[in-house]
Amino acid sequence: MRDPKAGRVLRRVRRGLLYSFALLTLSQLGSAWGAALQVSPIRLDLSAEKPAAALTLHNDGTVPLYAQVRVFAWTQTIDADHLDRTSAIVASPPIVNVAPGGDQTVRILRVSTTPLVREEAYRLLIDELPNGQAASSTGVRMQLRYSVPVFVGAKEDQVPALALSLERTEAPDGHDTLMLRAANHTDLHAQLSRVHLDWPNGHSTQVSPGLLGYALPHAARRWPVQGAPSGVTSATLKALVNGEPVTMPVSVVGPQPDQ
């Protein structure tokens, strides 16, 4: 019998590796751009019992830097994530000056008095700002941007049952495009990573070596599949969903409604 405690530890390790990979990628991009901002952690979890968390901003450079933290409600449509300004969660302070080699802590707090009915999803956009100029619609150039997911009321170690399929759609050039579609009809978010498709002819396609994306509660999301054999009608999907290995058959279907 599987030890539940050992399973929880293994899932945390898997998630930690994925988050570390994402943070490393962002840090490498920042180095390429000459940016010095580092952010940790790269995911925050809040709840009714724990409405606050700390975000640490580190300056890996040799000169002071300014950074701005903004909070957005996060929703999805089939092909896009949507961010809308919100007052349900606040970042304090929203703009910080980080000394060379130093750290600054930003407190992330759910201030909404609305009862938590189901899981809520937000994103923090953390921008390194040239000359301390706040990001706005006036075209201020950011040197580096982090996007950190924030979940309120997420139930740890639960894997939502997703409706997964391969959707064949027509591209603007008239050619068919195969999309991996994840419909999430549950109250929990799903994080998809390390996604592979094994085809009946024995070949396989790696959809994503690391994090592919999220399917938020009661939303559907899809991603393109490159290199699929022509004429396929089915495949076997292997992936990590919220850190848990999942293997399941998927069928090729025609265009579907958004939900």
Side-chain angles (χ1 to χ4, degrees):
M1 181 178 295
R2 183 179 178 181
D3 184 350
K5 184 175 180 181
R8 288 194 295 270
V9 171
L10 180 58
R11 286 191 289 271
R12 291 193 184 100
V13 169
R14 286 173 177 156
R15 291 178 184 174
L17 289 173
L18 287 171
Y19 302 155
S20 298
F21 172 78
L23 183 57
L24 176 61
T25 301
L26 285 168
S27 298
Q28 288 172 335
L29 288 173
S31 298
W33 296 337
L37 177 64
Q38 296 183 8
V39 174
S40 65
I42 60 170
R43 166 178 166 154
L44 292 176
D45 286 277
L46 306 178
S47 65
E49 297 76 24
K50 181 195 169 187
L55 187 72
T56 300
L57 278 58
H58 176 73
N59 182 356
D60 198 37
T62 57
V63 296
L65 66 80
Y66 285 88
Q68 179 181 28
V69 182
R70 293 176 292 163
V71 187
F72 295 84
W74 177 19
T75 58
Q76 290 180 325
T77 52
I78 190 67
D79 288 319
D81 290 337
H82 299 278
L83 302 180
D84 297 295
R85 293 301 295 264
T86 180
S87 58
I89 289 182
V90 298
S92 178
I95 297 180
V96 295
N97 183 356
V98 190
D103 295 326
Q104 285 287 345
T105 298
V106 177
R107 191 165 181 256
I108 307 301
L109 175 66
R110 183 180 187 266
V111 297
S112 173
T113 58
T114 303
L116 188 62
V117 177
R118 68 183 190 190
E119 180 184 296
E120 299 172 352
Y122 301 88
R123 282 234 174 222
L124 306 178
L125 295 188
I126 304 104
D127 297 309
E128 183 179 347
L129 305 175
N131 305 318
Q133 294 177 297
S136 68
S137 59
T138 58
V140 172
R141 181 179 61 84
M142 279 73 69
Q143 292 178 276
L144 178 63
R145 169 171 290 175
Y146 287 83
S147 180
V148 175
V150 179
F151 295 104
V152 183
K155 295 179 181 178
E156 188 178 5
D157 302 328
Q158 291 193 20
V159 179
L162 298 177
L164 294 167
S165 62
L166 293 169
E167 183 178 357
R168 196 179 299 280
T169 62
E170 185 174 319
D173 60 4
H175 292 87
D176 285 348
T177 299
L178 206 59
M179 309 285 286
L180 173 61
R181 177 190 174 94
N184 185 356
H185 302 296
T186 77
D187 290 334
L188 303 173
H189 74 274
Q191 180 203 63
L192 283 80
S193 58
R194 299 183 188 176
V195 181
H196 286 76
L197 291 167
D198 294 333
W199 307 105
N201 64 4
H203 294 164
S204 64
T205 296
Q206 182 182 69
V207 182
S208 174
L211 177 63
L212 176 63
Y214 290 85
L216 295 181
H218 301 282
R221 194 73 166 86
R222 65 185 181 184
W223 301 270
V225 176
Q226 306 293 338
S230 61
V232 293
T233 59
S234 65
T236 298
L237 179 141
K238 296 178 181 178
L240 294 181
V241 178
N242 291 0
E244 282 286 343
V246 170
T247 300
M248 63 181 297
V250 290
S251 298
V252 177
V253 297
Q256 302 293 302
D258 283 359
Q259 294 296 331

